[in-house]
Every structure is written in structure tokens, then in C-alpha cells.
């Protein structure tokens, strides 16, 4: 499903003209199979967000290859990359990244609008997804009227509504209390087992990483294989 | 994204920033309304002057005062040649009488203006009658619309001098016989009188202030008048009549090529049109400056919108929105501001134009007084559809251009940076 090979990336620091290049990713190689939950654990500054940004196509790596479903994504144009994301990825962000001016329903509907679906088609899909994540009651609420857990459920519904094969989650419970964190993690596991979705979770939290089938630890730009938790 | 959803998206954003968007629309509206109203004054003055030119004369008439290179009179043979120019309907030779002319019916009398002309040619040229018919005999004449009003009794004349109401001849003039007494301006010949019968009365002149006390006589009378009064041969004015306004230009050119001076409505309108086209272009240019000033407001609004929505744009791009879609949404928003502003501006401009056309003549008339403002008929402001189209294109175009840079900026927003922004 996802094949990352010899991925390298550096960042420039210092004044213009006197920059130093700091390596953030050093020859990362990773394979994620379909239906797997893979967690990338790492401390702040370990390079895990850079890895996710490259995987999502938000930035291009300096060298190496990223293949998703056999498609090389590291050299796509901005427009092609956006189209690829729309078809293949769903995103779950730490701070939910919901549109404050849209209701929960409209937030979930947004990717379908971008995709160009008719309002009738959208209504069916969004209602189904809202039901799956248990948000039917608050569909007409704005994000500011929802709890953190509900907002993250909206974010998950938005990520799933286009039926992408891969979900990329960046600290999905980072803004939640422990009780809500458990709810969200259970939801991720349920979605994985019932829908067979592939998850790549970036986190610093061991407890979050524990839902994964496989864990990797990113330290100073190097990926180290963690323990295999359980079979897919 | 479907077009309807794009429109909904923009509407939602505009609703969220109601105050800022409203003030920007107001600025765009004021700029566009200023452009339309300013240029409408040019169009209004052009219409006023054109109407004035067209009302005072027959538009198909081409006056031929003389030859260009010689002072010789135009001969009957040359007049005949003019008649053979394609699209010429008639060529009329008119001359006056070098004598004071007084018409008398019973106790009523009044000074009139005798015109000797070929009445058959006049008929072909379209001399329009309000009543009666064209003369069939030499003793029959056609008189001007105000001929009857010029015939006053002594009492009426005194009342007229004291600026009281004047009556003139009442009833129909058709079939009435009057005496035409001619007193030569020069020489020692005695005044002489001839009797004529009114066959027709001309139409009322186009302008209220014009008075037509003319008497159209058959030009065969010229010899009789000259013999009795010794007035000599009066110089003739020659007018060529085209079969329609479109032919006037070509006939004028043909006459010029034949060596005549010509003066026609197209000559007058040609130079006038050039002046007014330049004036209107100048006014539109000045008005466009106001639109450009308004565009600064649109630019600011859209730049702020992009800055404020950086995180939202980042999210949209992250979940798969194409940079082109983001650009289109912002361009559509600035175009919407331009379109709404222009729509209101057009309605407002028509209202201002109507108000100006009603109010300004009242002010001018009240400052000129009753007498001086008689016949005052002026269009202050005129908004033709072409002006609306030009102003709309300029306003909406400028709005879109001013939204272009912020829209480009929106497409260049870095997703990673945008997602890092705090809510």
C-alpha cells in the first residue's frame, strides 16, 4: 500500500547566506500494508511531522521515493498532489482543523463538495458517516458548540467521507482528555477492523501507539523498528 | 466543486464579513455611479445639441451656398445636374423679395416673409402642410403656421405692444384671399399690391419659440415684382434634398467633388460628434479614476480575507482542493463585490440622472426668468445602454483585477504553515 524508500530530508537553519543544513530524515524505509495501523512514535523534533508532510504530499523530499498504491507521489505537481490526496488520503489533525463557519454536517460535506458531488449524493454519504461516528445529534452544531471529542469525531468523519484507502493521523488525541482519547482510539480500531482502513498515526504518546499493529520509533531522523503489537 | 457550491461558499464568506464586504461594495458602487453619472452628462449634452440641430432643420437638406473656385452664380443647368445625382429627391431654389411685405385681410394686417420658390420641387422636398393642399394655380400660396397670428387689427397691435394677449386671424385660412403689399427697401418705386389665395398652411415649426410667418409664392412672380418695384434679381439659395439621412453624406461628397461649398446636417453633426466623442471618452476616463480608487478598497478587503482565511485555505488544500479552485473562489468573491456594486450603481445612476433632468432645468429656468427660458429644453444627463455596458465592464473588470493578486496569494499559501496557525 505505502512504500517509502531511502527518504532523506534536511532543513536549513541560520541567517541567509550562512545557513547550515540539519538532516531531519536519514534514509527512511518503511512499508505499510493495506488494513494495517502503523504508528510512528517520536519526540518533538524527531522528524515525524516531516515524514507525515512528505507522505501527504505537502512537501517534496530531497531524495528517496514514496509510493502509494504503486504511484510515486514525491514528484507530483501541486495540483496533481491535491487530486491524489482527495482520492487516496483522509486526514485527522491534532487540533481538528474544522471550518469554524460551517456546521458539523457542512464540515464533513466539504471534501465531497470539492470532489464535485451533487447535494443529493452528499447528503446520503454525510448522514451515513455522521451515524458511523455517532454525531447525528449534533449535525447542525458549529465546531465552537462541540466538545473536543465531538470535534475530533467530525474531523474523522470528514476524513472518511470520501472513502479513502489511507488515513493519516497527526497526534489524533493530542488535544483531548484521557477519557475522550480512549473513545477516539476505540473508534479508530473499530473503523480499522470493520472497514479495513489503513492508518498511519504520528504520535509521541505510547498509549496511542499501542492501538497500532506495528510501531516504529523515529529518533534523530532515523527510523527504528518497534515491537510488532499484534497481527492485522 | 460545482458552480452552485462555489457561489454558496462565497456567499457564506461574505455573510461572515458583512460589514467589511458592505463597505467595499459601497465603495465600488460609488466609483461606478460616479463614472456613469459623469459620462451621462456628456451623453446628455450631446443629445441636447444634436436634437437642437435636427429640430431646427430638415435633416435631409444640403445647403449649397456657392461654388468653391468662382463667384459665378449657379446656373439652371447646374441645378439640373444636381437633380441627377443619385438619391437626390429634389433641388429647390429659393429667393426672397427686396421689399417690405405686408399681408392684409379686411381690417387685419401684418408683416410677412415672402419666399419665391418652385412649389412643385418644394412638394417633392417634403414641404409638410398642417392643412389644405399645395397650390395648383400661380395665385395660390402656402403660408407659414403663424401667418394667421401675424394678422392683427390696430387694437390688437396696440395690445400686443403693451405685451397683452394677441389674437390674430381666427378660423381657417384655406381659401382666404389676402392682399400682399410690397414696399421696396431701395429705389423710388411706389408700393404695389397683389391678391393671393391661401391653398395650404405649413406645419408648426419644431421649436416652440420659432415663428413662421412665411408666404411661399411660385417663383414665376419674381419677374412681375421686379417689373413693378424694380427690386432687381435676388440671389437664390439652393437646397438639395436627399431621399434619406443615410444618403446625405454621399450626396454632400458628390457636390463637393463637383466644386460646390456644401453645408448639411452630417457636416455639422460630424464635427460635433467628434468633439462629443472626445468629451465622453474624457469623462469616462475621469470616472475610471474613481473606479480605480474604489478598487484599492477591494484589494484591501480581499488581501485581508486571504490573510484571515489562511488556515481555512490550508485545510482546503490539505483535503484536496486544487490551487485553481482556491484562486477561482477568491476571484469570484471580488467579482461578486464588483457585480453587486455595479448593479446598485446602475440603478442609482438612473435615479440621479432622472433627478438631474427634473431639477436642473427648474433651477436654470427660475434663474433665467419666464421670458428667457421660453423654449428651454435640455437633457442634462442621459444614460444609454452602451454607457451601462462600458461602465459595467470597467467596474467589474477592475474589481476582478484588484482581486487577482490576493487570489494568487491564496494559491501560494503553504499548507504546513497554514495548518500550524492558531484558531
Amino acid at each position: 500500500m505505502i512504500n517509502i524508500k531511502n527518504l532523506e530530508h534536511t532543513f536549513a537553519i541560520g541567517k541567509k547566506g550562512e545557513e547550515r543544513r540539519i538532516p531531519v530524515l536519514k534514509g527512511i524505509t518503511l512499508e505499510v500494508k493495506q488494513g494495517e495501523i502503523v504508528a510512528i512514535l517520536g519526540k518533538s523534533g524527531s522528524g515525524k511531522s516531516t515524514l507525515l508532510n512528505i507522505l501527504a504530499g505537502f512537501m517534496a523530499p530531497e531524495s528517496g521515493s514514496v509510493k502509494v498504491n504503486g504511484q510515486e507521489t514525491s514528484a507530483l505537481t501541486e495540483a496533481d498532489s491535491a487530486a491524489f490526496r482527495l482520492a487516496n488520503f483522509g486526514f485527522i489533525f491534532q487540533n481538528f482543523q474544522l471550518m469554524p463557519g460551517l456546521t458539523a454536517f457542512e464540515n464533513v460535506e466539504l471534501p465531497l463538495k470539492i470532489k464535485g458531488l451533487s447535494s443529493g449524493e452528499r447528503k446520503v454519504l454525510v448522514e451515513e458517516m455522521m451515524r458511523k461516528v455517532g454525531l447525528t445529534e449534533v449535525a447542525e452544531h458549529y465546531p465552537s458548540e462541540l466538545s473536543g471529542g465531538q470535534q475530533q469525531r467530525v474531523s474523522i468523519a470528514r476524513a472518511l467521507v470520501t472513502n479513502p484507502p489511507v488515513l493519516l493521523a497527526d497526534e489524533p488525541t493530542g488535544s483531548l482528555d484521557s477519557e475522550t482519547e480512549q473513545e477516539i482510539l476505540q473508534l479508530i480500531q473499530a473503523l480499522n477492523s470493520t472497514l479495513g482502513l489503513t492508518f498511519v498515526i504520528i504520535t509521541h504518546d505510547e498509549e496511542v501507539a499501542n492501538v497500532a499493529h506495528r510501531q516504529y520509533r523515529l529518533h534523530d531522523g532515523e527510523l527504528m523498528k518497534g515491537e510488532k503489537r499484534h497481527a492485522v | 466543486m460545482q458552480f452552485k457550491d462555489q457561489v454558496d461558499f462565497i456567499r457564506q464568506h461574505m455573510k461572515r464579513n458583512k460589514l467589511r464586504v458592505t463597505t467595499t461594495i459601497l465603495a465600488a458602487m460609488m466609483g461606478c455611479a460616479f463614472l456613469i453619472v459623469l459620462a451621462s452628462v456628456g451623453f446628455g449634452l450631446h443629445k441636447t445639441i444634436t436634437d437642437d440641430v435636427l429640430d431646427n432643420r430638415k435633416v435631409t437638406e444640403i445647403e449649397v451656398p456657392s461654388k468653391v473656385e468662382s463667384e459665378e452664380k449657379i446656373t439652371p443647368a447646374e441645378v439640373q445636374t444636381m437633380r441627377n445625382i443619385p438619391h437626390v429627391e429634389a433641388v429647390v431654389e429659393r429667393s426672397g423679395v427686396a421689399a417690405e411685405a405686408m399681408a392684409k385681410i379686411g381690417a387685419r394686417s401684418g408683416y410677412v416673409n415672402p419666399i419665391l420658390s418652385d412649389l412643385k420641387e418644394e412638394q417633392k422636398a417634403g414641404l409638410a402642410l398642417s392643412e389644405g393642399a399645395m397650390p395648383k394655380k400661380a395665385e395660390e400660396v402656402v403660408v407659414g403656421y403663424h401667418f394667421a397670428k401675424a394678422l392683427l387689427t390696430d387694437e390688437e397691435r396696440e395690445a400686443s405692444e403693451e405685451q397683452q394677449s394677441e389674437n390674430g386671424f381666427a378660423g381657417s385660412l384655406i381659401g382666404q384671399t389676402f392682399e400682399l403689399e410690397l414696399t421696396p427697401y431701395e429705389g423710388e418705386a411706389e408700393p404695389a399690391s397683389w391678391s393671393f389665395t391661401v391653398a395650404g398652411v405649413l406645419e408648426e415649426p419644431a421649436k416652440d419659440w420659432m415663428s413662421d410667418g412665411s408666404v411661399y409664392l411660385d417663383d414665376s412672380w419674381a419677374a412681375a415684382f421686379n417689373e413693378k418695384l424694380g427690386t432687381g434679381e435676388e440671389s437664390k439659395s439652393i437646397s438639395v434634398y436627399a431621399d434619406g439621412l443615410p444618403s446625405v453624406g454621399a450626396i454632400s461628397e458628390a457636390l463637393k467633388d463637383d466644386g460646390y461649398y456644401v453645408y448639411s446636417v452630417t457636416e455639422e453633426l460630424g464635427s460635433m460628434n467628434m468633439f462629443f466623442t472626445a468629451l465622453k471618452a474624457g469623462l469616462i476616463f475621469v470616472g475610471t479614476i474613481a473606479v480605480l480608487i474604489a478598487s484599492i478598497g477591494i484589494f484591501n478587503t480581499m488581501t485581508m480575507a486571504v490573510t484571515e482565511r489562511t488556515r481555512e485555505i490550508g485545510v482546503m488544500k490539505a483535503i484536496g482542493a486544487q490551487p485553481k479552485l482556491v484562486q477561482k473562489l477568491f476571484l469570484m468573491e471580488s467579482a461578486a463585490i464588483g457585480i453587486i456594486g455595479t448593479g446598485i450603481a446602475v440603478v442609482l445612476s438612473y435615479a440621479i440622472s432622472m433627478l438631474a433632468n427634473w431639477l436642473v432645468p427648474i433651477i436654470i429656468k427660475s434663474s433665467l426668468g419666464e421670458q428667457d427660458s421660453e423654449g428651454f429644453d435640455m437633457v442634462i444627463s442621459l444614460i444609454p445602454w452602451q454607457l451601462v455596458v462600458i461602465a459595467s465592464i470597467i467596474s467589474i473588470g477592475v474589481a476582478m483585477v484588484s482581486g487577482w493578486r490576493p487570489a494568487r496569494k491564496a494559491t501560494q499559501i503553504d499548507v504546513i504553515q497554514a495548518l500550524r496557525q492558531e484558531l
Side-chain angles (χ1 to χ4, degrees):
Chain A
M1 166 117 308
I2 300 172
N3 273 296
I4 300 173
K5 269 189 192 160
N6 301 321
L7 201 65
E8 303 228 350
H9 199 75
T10 61
F11 279 138
I13 57 163
K15 279 184 185 176
K16 210 173 178 184
E18 298 168 17
E19 299 106 333
R20 274 189 309 127
R21 311 269 339 159
I22 305 290
V24 277
L25 296 177
K26 299 173 187 168
I28 305 288
T29 296
L30 171 70
E31 190 184 350
V32 181
K33 294 192 179 90
Q34 189 172 350
E36 244 188 338
I37 303 176
V38 170
I40 313 282
L41 264 164
K43 288 179 186 166
S44 179
S46 61
K48 58 188 192 300
S49 289
T50 306
L51 177 63
L52 183 88
N53 289 336
I54 290 173
L55 182 58
F58 297 155
M59 62 193 289
E62 282 174 1
S63 67
S65 133
V66 179
K67 279 185 180 171
V68 179
N69 277 337
Q71 161 84 52
E72 177 63 54
T73 63
S74 58
L76 290 175
T77 62
E78 199 185 351
D80 289 341
S81 182
F84 190 82
R85 280 198 294 275
L86 187 61
N88 293 282
F89 292 137
F91 292 93
I92 303 166
F93 301 101
Q94 178 180 356
N95 48 6
F96 326 127
Q97 302 291 7
L98 300 177
M99 299 286 192
L102 303 181
T103 62
F105 185 96
E106 289 165 340
N107 265 290
V108 177
E109 194 184 24
L110 189 59
L112 299 176
K113 275 189 175 178
I114 292 171
K115 228 173 172 181
L117 265 65
S118 70
S119 61
E121 291 170 310
R122 294 198 305 257
K123 193 168 182 286
V124 173
L125 290 170
V126 174
E127 279 176 354
E128 188 194 338
M129 197 47 65
M130 298 291 270
R131 216 172 20 252
K132 271 184 187 162
V133 296
L135 284 173
T136 320
E137 304 272 299
V138 293
E140 294 310 314
H141 288 221
Y142 286 93
S144 59
E145 298 162 351
L146 301 174
S147 69
Q150 286 172 321
Q151 287 189 56
Q152 193 58 300
R153 280 169 185 270
V154 175
S155 171
I156 293 170
R158 182 181 65 186
L160 292 172
V161 77
T162 53
N163 197 22
V166 183
L167 270 99
L168 303 178
D170 185 8
E171 303 280 10
T173 59
S175 301
L176 302 174
D177 58 61
S178 55
E179 198 181 324
T180 318
E181 179 182 288
Q182 284 310 313
E183 271 179 42
I184 296 298
L185 293 176
Q186 278 166 17
L187 180 63
I188 289 173
Q189 279 181 312
L191 290 168
N192 170 258
S193 57
T194 54
L195 303 174
L197 292 168
T198 308
F199 280 83
V200 176
I201 301 172
I202 301 290
T203 184
H204 67 283
D205 188 338
E206 300 271 356
E207 205 167 332
V208 174
N210 284 344
V211 301
H213 300 119
R214 280 192 295 138
Q215 289 180 6
Y216 289 87
R217 203 169 285 274
L218 200 57
H219 184 71
D220 287 342
E222 288 181 57
L223 193 68
M224 289 172 282
K225 200 164 184 177
E227 58 185 296
K228 184 173 178 179
R229 302 284 306 170
H230 42 82
V232 178
Chain B
M1 197 182 248
Q2 292 184 354
F3 184 72
K4 185 183 159 290
D5 293 326
Q6 293 174 13
V7 173
D8 277 349
F9 191 85
I10 292 158
R11 202 164 41 83
Q12 273 175 336
H13 280 294
M14 288 173 82
K15 229 172 162 184
R16 270 164 60 193
N17 293 299
K18 226 183 269 175
L19 184 65
R20 195 165 63 214
V21 170
T22 307
T23 50
T24 314
I25 288 173
L26 275 177
M29 181 268 287
M30 278 155 67
C32 183
F34 180 74
L35 163 62
I36 296 175
V37 172
L38 192 68
S40 79
V41 175
F43 281 92
L45 290 177
H46 192 180
K47 182 177 164 43
T48 301
I49 307 281
T50 307
D51 285 353
D52 197 49
V53 169
L54 297 179
D55 280 354
N56 289 344
R57 54 191 294 170
K58 279 188 70 110
V59 292
T60 53
E61 183 180 358
I62 304 159
E63 290 172 33
V64 187
S66 63
K67 292 176 184 172
V68 175
E69 283 179 354
S70 75
E71 290 182 4
E72 288 171 24
K73 285 183 178 171
I74 298 168
T75 64
E78 287 167 333
V79 170
Q80 195 53 46
T81 314
M82 289 178 195
R83 286 196 177 102
N84 294 334
I85 296 172
H87 300 291
V88 168
E89 197 78 13
V91 180
V92 179
E93 295 175 84
R94 297 189 189 104
S95 62
V97 180
E100 198 175 70
M102 181 172 270
K104 290 177 184 173
I105 298 180
R108 294 183 177 276
S109 63
Y111 290 106
V112 293
N113 174 31
I115 297 165
L116 293 161
S117 177
D118 181 343
L119 294 176
K120 279 181 189 153
E121 281 293 308
E122 289 282 8
Q123 192 174 10
K124 277 202 267 176
L127 195 71
L129 302 178
S130 63
E131 60 174 319
M134 288 302 284
K136 290 188 176 71
K137 298 175 198 161
E139 292 76 22
E140 287 182 338
V141 295
V142 170
V143 295
Y145 186 81
H146 298 104
F147 180 86
K149 231 179 176 184
L151 299 174
L152 303 172
T153 60
D154 290 340
E155 292 79 34
E156 284 174 347
R157 194 164 288 111
E158 275 172 32
S160 157
E161 279 162 12
E162 288 164 20
Q163 299 208 339
Q164 291 172 8
S165 65
E166 27 184 281
N167 299 319
F169 185 86
S172 174
L173 273 172
I174 306 300
Q176 291 285 341
T177 302
F178 67 92
E179 290 286 313
L180 183 68
E181 186 185 277
L182 298 174
T183 309
Y185 295 131
E186 289 172 0
E188 288 169 8
E190 288 295 309
S193 293
W194 287 266
S195 282
F196 294 100
T197 305
V198 178
V201 179
L202 292 175
E203 274 190 348
E204 190 179 2
K207 291 285 178 187
D208 293 344
W209 48 266
M210 288 171 86
S211 180
D212 185 8
S214 56
V215 179
Y216 279 78
L217 307 151
D218 192 85
D219 54 7
S220 59
W221 286 97
F225 293 161
N226 188 24
E227 191 186 325
K228 201 99 177 194
L229 305 170
T231 49
E233 199 182 337
E234 273 287 294
S235 63
K236 289 181 175 178
S237 71
I238 294 173
S239 293
V240 176
Y241 290 87
D243 58 5
L245 188 58
S247 315
V248 173
I251 296 171
S252 299
E253 284 307 311
L255 288 166
K256 277 187 202 169
D257 291 346
D258 290 345
Y260 299 106
Y261 280 119
V262 294
Y263 187 72
S264 67
V265 74
T266 49
E267 300 280 311
E268 195 170 338
L269 289 179
S271 54
M272 218 168 67
N273 284 346
M274 199 184 293
F275 168 75
F276 275 103
T277 304
L279 177 72
K280 284 184 275 189
L283 291 175
I284 288 172
F285 176 75
V286 174
T288 304
I289 293 172
V291 176
L292 288 172
I293 293 167
S295 77
I296 297 170
I298 298 174
F299 177 82
N300 277 339
T301 296
M302 296 313 298
T303 305
M304 283 184 78
V306 171
T307 308
E308 277 178 2
R309 290 184 219 152
T310 298
R311 194 186 63 82
E312 290 181 32
I313 295 163
V315 174
M316 283 186 67
K317 287 173 83 173
I319 62 177
Q322 294 282 333
K324 267 190 182 171
L325 174 66
V326 174
Q327 182 177 351
K328 195 177 168 192
L329 291 172
F330 279 92
L331 272 180
M332 279 173 72
E333 191 167 330
S334 54
I337 291 171
I339 290 166
I340 297 169
T342 303
I344 302 170
V346 170
V347 175
L348 183 74
S349 303
Y350 273 107
I352 293 172
S353 176
M354 281 163 72
L355 184 72
N357 286 332
W358 171 72
L359 196 61
V360 176
I362 291 176
I363 295 167
I364 293 175
K365 277 178 186 176
S366 66
S367 63
L368 285 178
E370 276 288 306
Q371 286 283 315
D372 294 338
S373 64
E374 204 174 303
F376 178 84
D377 187 15
M378 191 176 183
V379 179
I380 303 296
S381 161
L382 176 76
I383 306 174
W385 65 266
Q386 293 93 331
L387 176 58
V388 173
V389 171
I390 293 169
S392 302
I393 291 171
I394 292 174
S395 297
I396 297 167
V398 166
M400 287 186 76
V401 169
S402 49
W404 177 261
R405 219 181 124 73
R408 285 291 303 160
K409 193 182 158 196
T411 65
Q412 286 156 2
I413 282 172
D414 179 55
V415 177
I416 300 165
Q417 296 297 330
L419 294 179
R420 273 185 200 151
Q421 277 203 353
E422 290 296 317
L423 286 173

